Amino acid sequence: MGLWQIIGLGLLFAVLAAVLFIWGMKKEEDPSVAVERRLLDAAGSKVEKYLKKNESITTAEIERLITGTKVNVPWSRKRVQIQNAKLFTKSLLPYLMQQQIIEEVDKGTYRLQRK
């Protein structure tokens, strides 16, 4: 086998692997679950960034902070935005505590979890 044939086979293998990987990722994700996870990650990173500069945050401050957070819908040009921050915060706080990012200090007050 010549050098060009080896290079061609290598490129063909790389393209085939990329196509199979993307196809598998697309089939694996349920769009509604993926959007919710992306919203949780985006809002969680805003809270974490805030807590790196400040010592604590209240539930009301979290609601103000995450209002209007937008993410892209997978495999689409559509964007989803948090409309009801009070309702979304009820699912965000348990997610952040489960991920061991924040801990509750007082009722309704949170801080970064100490390691």
Side-chain angles (χ1 to χ4, degrees):
M1 250 200 297
L3 177 63
W4 293 110
Q5 288 176 330
I6 293 172
I7 292 173
L9 286 174
L11 287 174
L12 181 63
F13 178 78
V15 168
L16 182 62
V19 167
L20 289 174
F21 176 76
I22 290 171
W23 181 55
M25 292 293 290
K26 185 175 181 179
K27 293 293 182 184
E28 179 181 324
E29 284 189 321
D30 178 21
S32 62
V33 173
V35 168
E36 183 179 2
R37 186 175 33 86
R38 286 179 183 215
L39 274 173
L40 286 169
D41 288 340
S45 67
K46 282 186 174 185
V47 171
E48 187 175 8
K49 191 179 204 180
Y50 178 89
L51 285 173
K52 285 182 180 178
K53 294 180 182 176
N54 301 289
E55 191 168 319
S56 64
I57 190 168
T58 64
T59 306
E61 289 174 314
I62 292 173
E63 291 169 7
R64 279 194 304 275
L65 185 65
I66 67 171
T67 299
T69 301
K70 295 179 186 177
V71 295
N72 292 333
V73 176
W75 313 106
S76 174
R77 292 184 181 184
K78 296 179 184 175
R79 295 178 63 84
V80 176
Q81 179 177 357
I82 296 174
Q83 297 288 329
N84 188 344
K86 190 171 201 160
L87 182 63
F88 190 78
T89 302
K90 291 180 182 177
S91 60
L92 177 64
L93 291 173
Y95 173 78
L96 292 175
M97 285 192 262
Q98 179 187 9
Q99 297 294 320
Q100 297 180 347
I101 296 172
I102 64 170
E103 61 187 3
E104 191 168 17
V105 180
D106 291 325
K107 180 93 173 122
T109 304
Y110 303 89
R111 68 174 178 207
L112 281 177
Q113 188 166 19
R114 298 179 189 220
K115 297 180 182 189

